[in-house]
Amino acid sequence: MASAALAGAASCCATTAFVDPTGHTSERASQQTRRSLRQQSSQTHTQSQAAAPLAALALGTAGAAACAATLKAGKRQVRAKVVRAAVAEKVFAKMPATVKPGVVTGQALLAQAILAQVVRRVVVLLSSRSPAAMPSKMASAALAGAAACCATTAFVAPTGQTSERATQQTRSLRQQSSQPHTQSQAAAPLAALALGAAGAAACAATAKAGKRQARAKVVRAAVAEKVFAKMPATVKPGVVTGQALVDLLNYAKENEFAIPGVNIVGTGSINACMEAAKKAGGPIMVTFSRGGGQFIAGKAADNTDDAACIAGSVAGALHVRTVAKLYGVPVILHTDHCQKAWLPWFDGMLKANEEYFEKNGEPLFSSHMLDLSEEPLEENIAICKKYLERMAKFNCLLEMELGVTGGEEDGVDNSNVDSSRLYTQPEEVWEVYQALSSVPNGNFTVAAAFGNVHGVYAPGNVSLKPEILHNTQKFIKEKLGCASDKPVFFVFHGGSGSSTEDIQYAIKAG
């Protein structure tokens, strides 16, 4: 009978975690029940078993009282939720006319009213704490100092290693401060001294880590200076556009290296790209896809006429603009494949470029890609030329695609396309070159298909034919009668499943 009562009381304690998530009433009930259970179970078995029914009855009564208190608290919470919902409905139905969806500023913000609400919430929170849970004034001051020290380490030691140790120490201090106030206050000065010593140790460790970081920074700066010292004078850290972009592409072509372009999905991946470029000491291309732009805006955002795709891409570009110089590397801000059905997204970004150019004298993005490879060649060239004429006015470069890049990317699946469309002919590139080079101040690159595919493939599963690019450069050089062996800027999409030798040979073709 006693065992049954024990099990029932324990079950009651476990249930309170779900009924009363705040833990106030249920915590008291659980403590009372656990205390009662421990006291009862600690009695030796030698006591008279005649008292067992009475003990079980007492335990059952205690469990029932605890459950009743918990249910009562749960009902109060439910009523409070209903009241809050009703108040919210009543408040939002009567919002001032100045308050609109989006960021609220000025008169609409009503900062004093919001501050008053925050103060009231803090007062209620503090008043709900029992005096026994309050630390002494001296311990509180030491805690505040230690917390400030840990917060500071986030700026001194961004690697987070030393900061983590300091944070662990602070957690330990917080646990000490949670001891009941009934303990002797004579220990308060010693606790404060211990807290101060821990804070000093944390600061010393942080300073040491800061020195190591400073040395590493000097080394990285020396490497970067060695690499960027050979860059064209127009190429500076930050977003590269206009003539500086053309100079950078020429520099890459002459020195036979490719500038990696990475599709991003948020500020985390944007920063990772620029950090990698900083460590490697070279330029990087941060690339936004249509889907990536929408992801940045959020899937719940209204995407009528590609509004979310546009807003997310522009927001990401502004983030790059804000932080790129801090990484000390040249960054090409680019957007990826845009098929004919997605032209509203393209138009929205060009509008953002024009507005940015009017204020800053350069476009927001460095370049954009039009992928009209599924359209007839004549239509592909005509649409690209029309857009390049518009883009040339604000010094923005156009990438166009010929042939079809196999595989799947951003919801476009070319896995089963006719293999003949994976290989561009030199004559097609020549037609594009003639049309686009006739645009005043127009700059463009060509993503000519030579067997490259999107996706992840095992080595040897993709048949690259980089000789197509070499033959095309030779063909156009003969047509132009120019001195340059590589008159065309080529773009290489894909790369997975190809041999290193094929990739390197393709890069040599410009």
Side-chain angles (χ1 to χ4, degrees):
M1 191 171 181
S3 300
L6 280 170
S11 175
C12 167
C13 293
T15 306
T16 58
F18 297 91
V19 179
D20 183 16
T22 61
H24 297 311
T25 304
S26 51
E27 178 61 24
R28 288 195 296 271
S30 299
Q31 288 177 356
Q32 292 171 359
T33 306
R34 285 197 296 269
R35 193 180 298 113
S36 177
L37 293 177
R38 281 196 297 270
Q39 291 173 357
Q40 295 291 336
S41 62
S42 64
Q43 301 299 323
T44 61
H45 191 64
T46 59
Q47 292 181 343
S48 173
Q49 292 187 2
L54 295 177
L57 180 61
L59 286 171
T61 303
C67 287
T70 300
L71 289 173
K72 188 175 181 180
K75 289 179 180 179
R76 284 199 299 270
Q77 288 184 354
V78 171
R79 285 197 297 270
K81 276 185 181 179
V82 173
V83 171
R84 284 197 298 269
V87 170
E89 183 178 355
K90 183 176 180 182
V91 170
F92 286 113
K94 298 181 179 180
M95 277 286 184
T98 57
V99 179
K100 308 291 184 183
V103 178
V104 181
T105 61
Q107 181 61 29
L109 182 58
L110 297 176
Q112 291 181 348
I114 294 176
L115 181 60
Q117 291 181 15
V118 173
V119 171
R120 284 198 296 272
R121 287 176 181 270
V122 172
V123 170
V124 171
L125 177 63
L126 292 178
S127 64
S128 67
R129 298 295 182 92
S130 63
M134 294 292 184
S136 67
K137 292 181 180 179
M138 196 166 185
S140 298
L143 270 174
C149 166
C150 291
T152 306
T153 58
F155 297 90
V156 180
T159 59
Q161 296 172 349
T162 306
S163 305
E164 178 61 25
R165 288 195 295 271
T167 303
Q168 290 175 354
Q169 291 174 358
T170 305
R171 290 198 194 99
S172 177
L173 300 178
R174 193 182 299 116
Q175 292 172 358
Q176 294 175 20
S177 69
S178 66
Q179 299 299 322
H181 190 62
T182 55
Q183 291 181 350
S184 174
Q185 292 190 0
L190 294 177
L193 181 62
L195 287 168
C203 289
T206 299
K208 188 174 181 181
K211 289 180 181 179
R212 288 197 298 269
Q213 288 183 356
R215 287 195 296 269
K217 192 177 289 186
V218 170
V219 172
R220 286 197 299 268
V223 172
E225 183 179 356
K226 183 178 180 181
V227 175
F228 290 115
K230 299 178 181 179
M231 285 280 185
T234 56
V235 178
K236 308 290 184 183
V239 177
V240 180
T241 64
Q243 187 58 47
L245 174 58
V246 175
D247 291 343
L248 177 58
L249 295 179
N250 273 317
Y251 179 78
K253 186 161 59 173
E254 291 167 2
N255 290 273
E256 298 183 346
F257 71 88
I259 301 173
V262 184
N263 276 36
I264 57 80
V265 292
T267 55
S269 51
I270 289 173
N271 297 343
C273 290
M274 293 189 289
E275 181 181 345
K278 180 177 181 178
K279 290 180 178 179
I284 187 74
M285 178 181 289
V286 175
T287 307
F288 296 82
S289 67
R290 178 175 174 270
Q294 184 181 10
F295 187 84
I296 293 173
K299 292 292 185 180
D302 181 12
N303 197 37
T304 303
D305 297 327
D306 281 347
C309 298
I310 296 166
S313 300
V314 170
L318 290 172
H319 171 79
V320 176
R321 280 280 183 182
T322 304
V323 303
K325 287 185 180 180
L326 304 179
Y327 288 86
V329 295
V331 178
I332 300 174
L333 251 178
H334 184 64
T335 60
D336 211 358
H337 299 265
C338 178
Q339 57 186 339
K340 190 175 181 179
W342 295 350
L343 288 179
W345 173 54
F346 200 87
D347 291 329
M349 291 185 294
L350 293 196
K351 182 180 179 182
N353 276 309
E354 290 165 339
E355 292 172 353
Y356 193 90
F357 183 83
E358 186 176 346
K359 297 176 182 178
N360 301 280
E362 65 174 340
L364 174 61
F365 291 87
S366 308
S367 54
H368 297 285
M369 179 187 185
L370 273 178
D371 181 1
L372 305 175
S373 56
E374 294 185 356
E375 313 304 324
L377 180 61
E378 295 76 13
E379 184 178 0
N380 184 352
I381 295 174
I383 295 176
C384 286
K385 183 178 180 181
K386 176 184 174 182
Y387 274 106
L388 182 58
E389 289 170 346
R390 180 180 175 184
M391 296 169 66
K393 296 176 182 177
F394 50 84
N395 296 329
C396 196
L397 182 143
L398 172 69
E399 176 191 348
M400 67 89 61
E401 178 158 340
L402 282 175
V404 174
T405 301
E408 188 274 337
E409 184 181 50
D410 206 25
V412 179
D413 192 351
N414 291 325
S415 302
N416 299 318
V417 72
D418 184 356
S419 60
S420 64
R421 299 183 63 192
L422 299 177
Y423 303 98
T424 305
Q425 300 305 310
E427 292 80 7
E428 295 173 327
V429 182
W430 170 238
E431 285 189 53
V432 171
Y433 190 93
Q434 282 182 299
L436 300 188
S437 62
S438 67
V439 177
N441 196 42
N443 293 304
F444 62 95
T445 59
V446 180
F450 59 104
N452 45 315
V453 296
H454 291 131
V456 180
Y457 303 90
N461 283 2
V462 176
S463 178
L464 279 188
K465 295 184 178 180
E467 59 271 14
I468 290 176
L469 305 181
H470 287 272
N471 293 338
T472 300
Q473 293 284 29
K474 182 179 179 181
F475 180 85
I476 295 178
K477 176 184 178 179
E478 293 175 351
K479 289 287 186 180
L480 295 174
C482 62
S484 174
D485 291 331
K486 304 170 187 176
V488 183
F489 289 117
F490 280 128
V491 181
F492 182 178
H493 283 257
S496 173
S498 306
S499 68
T500 303
E501 293 74 19
D502 281 345
I503 293 175
Q504 291 176 341
Y505 188 51
I507 292 174
K508 289 179 180 294

